[in-house]
Amino acid sequence: MAYTNQYINPLIVQRADPYIYKHTDGYYYFTASVPAYNLIEIRRAKTLAGLAHAAPRTVWRKHENGPMSQLIWAPEIHYIDGKWFIYFAAAETTALDENGMFQHRMFCIECDEENPMASEDNWIERGQVKTNMDTFSLDATCFEANGKLYYVWAQKDKAIRGNSNLYIAEMENPWTLKTDPVMLSKPEYSWEVKGFWVNEGPAIIHRNGRYFLTYSASATDENYAMGMLTVNDDVDLLDASNWSKSKEPVFKSDLATHQYGPGHNSFTVAEDGKTDIMVYHCRDYTEIKGDPLYDPNRHTKVQAFTWNDDGTPHFGKPVPYNYE
């Protein structure tokens, strides 16, 4: 069965920063930023296509005030040691600081029920995931390697130009870091600094003896594009020198098919259990009024990708919309 063009795209409209996790119960679990940035919802289906029509269930709502009261961004759902965890970013205010930055920090909620969608009451707050810098931070993901749990995220270092760099640390538990953060990447190439100097939205896939860490760079308009870091799976993942960074984007806008700003991706696997699937958001126009952040039309898309002879992923181009 050919998977490349089998899916309807966009799969889910007005859902940015999409994350899809295929669980052992046979369901795909989906979460993403909602346009109002005011809650976290989950939907599930037995097929990827089924997610388009699955009823979302709200599992957490923003607070009335305080650090988790504004701009709820980029939730990711993970299953770790028999429990569900959702990482997300939130802010105390929508105002920008003196450097023109949002004021997000990273948070974690937990559910020990078999069905994470059963009720809002089943989720408890584990609070802020703290690093050694009290600065703008967001887009956390995690992965297990060699019996250890690792956390990867984006954060501002006041000593480095730009909005955010990428960091990794080992975790003590799913909401507490065990080691000091190690910077893996910062905006430096011309395609990473268009509009804003940004490295964010990390995602991890493990294949062919290596970990591939994709991320997104530049402003969230048509300049948004994906880069990639690579490391062998038998070395110290907390040694930044073991990671290599691609000099060119690995996935970017395709003007010919009007696919603009693809990024903030995640990975899952197709219904056959073999075909690798990339999940990402994208727009089909460039004329955005005001701040691109508040334009709701970043839609969730899914597409299969293949592997090059050297064992690296080949993402190709964003597939065109085909829902008409």
Side-chain angles (χ1 to χ4, degrees):
M1 183 181 292
Y3 279 89
T4 305
N5 297 311
Q6 128 173 13
Y7 301 107
I8 296 297
N9 276 300
L11 181 68
I12 303 172
V13 299
Q14 296 194 341
R15 289 296 182 270
D17 315 319
Y19 191 87
I20 296 177
Y21 166 68
K22 189 177 186 181
H23 191 43
T24 53
D25 63 3
Y27 281 101
Y28 288 98
Y29 288 84
F30 171 86
T31 189
S33 297
V34 301
Y37 301 135
N38 62 342
L39 53 79
I40 296 173
E41 64 178 25
I42 304 173
R43 65 178 74 185
R44 71 177 185 176
K46 288 294 183 73
T47 64
L48 287 168
L51 290 171
H53 309 292
R57 169 66 65 90
T58 298
V59 297
W60 184 87
R61 300 172 192 271
K62 73 180 184 68
H63 292 190
E64 287 298 314
N65 49 62
M68 291 187 282
S69 63
Q70 299 291 339
L71 298 177
I72 310 305
W73 288 357
E76 285 197 8
I77 185 167
H78 295 264
Y79 191 75
I80 305 167
D81 294 334
K83 296 182 180 181
W84 297 94
F85 295 88
I86 292 179
Y87 298 109
F88 63 97
E92 190 161 0
T93 173
T94 59
L96 304 180
D97 66 14
E98 65 276 9
N99 298 311
M101 297 278 293
F102 285 105
Q103 299 174 44
H104 286 73
R105 300 297 186 270
M106 301 175 293
F107 299 90
C108 176
I109 57 176
E110 174 191 316
C111 173
D112 61 4
E113 295 291 327
E114 186 174 337
N115 178 5
M117 297 174 58
S119 169
E120 287 185 54
D121 298 334
N122 294 338
W123 287 86
I124 62 172
E125 295 176 357
R126 287 297 186 182
Q128 183 180 344
V129 182
K130 296 182 178 180
T131 76
N132 61 358
M133 296 185 292
D134 185 25
T135 57
F136 174 74
S137 51
L138 72 169
D139 291 355
T141 193
C142 69
F143 68 102
E144 294 183 57
N146 303 316
K148 298 177 180 180
L149 183 64
Y150 292 91
Y151 192 71
V152 182
W153 73 99
Q155 186 161 11
K156 167 69 175 177
D157 182 338
K158 294 180 179 178
I160 297 176
R161 181 177 179 180
N163 285 43
S164 58
N165 315 308
L166 296 177
Y167 296 88
I168 188 172
E170 187 184 339
M171 304 194 84
E172 183 71 39
N173 57 47
W175 60 92
T176 309
L177 300 190
K178 181 177 181 179
T179 63
D180 287 335
V182 173
M183 189 178 76
L184 296 181
S185 177
K186 64 181 180 180
E188 55 190 315
Y189 299 125
S190 60
W191 62 271
E192 296 179 293
V193 299
K194 293 183 177 180
F196 294 101
W197 293 51
V198 170
N199 280 181
E200 65 182 19
I204 294 279
I205 188 168
H206 181 216
R207 295 287 186 277
N208 307 324
R210 283 172 280 183
Y211 288 99
F212 300 96
L213 189 165
T214 57
Y215 65 95
S216 297
S218 290
T220 59
D221 54 17
E222 69 270 19
N223 292 307
Y224 211 49
M226 282 169 45
M228 189 173 72
L229 303 169
T230 304
V231 66
N232 290 334
D233 63 9
D234 59 352
V235 300
D236 182 4
L237 302 183
L238 298 181
D239 183 347
S241 67
N242 287 330
W243 293 77
S244 60
K245 180 176 179 178
S246 299
K247 294 182 178 180
E248 300 294 334
V250 294
F251 199 61
K252 60 184 180 180
S253 295
D254 185 1
L255 277 58
T257 57
H258 307 289
Q259 299 300 303
Y260 303 111
H264 201 119
N265 77 292
S266 59
F267 297 107
T268 190
V269 66
E271 291 82 352
D272 64 357
K274 301 176 182 178
T275 305
D276 287 306
I277 300 290
M278 183 164 65
V279 187
Y280 62 98
H281 70 229
C282 200
R283 286 191 181 91
D284 65 346
Y285 57 87
T286 59
E287 299 302 318
I288 301 169
K289 295 180 180 179
D291 189 332
L293 179 68
Y294 294 104
D295 177 286
N297 293 313
R298 289 182 293 173
H299 304 317
T300 294
K301 297 176 63 181
V302 293
Q303 69 185 71
F305 64 93
T306 57
W307 296 87
N308 298 312
D309 291 339
D310 64 359
T312 59
H314 177 71
F315 298 122
K317 297 180 179 181
V319 292
Y321 286 3
N322 62 356
Y323 58 85
E324 289 88 3

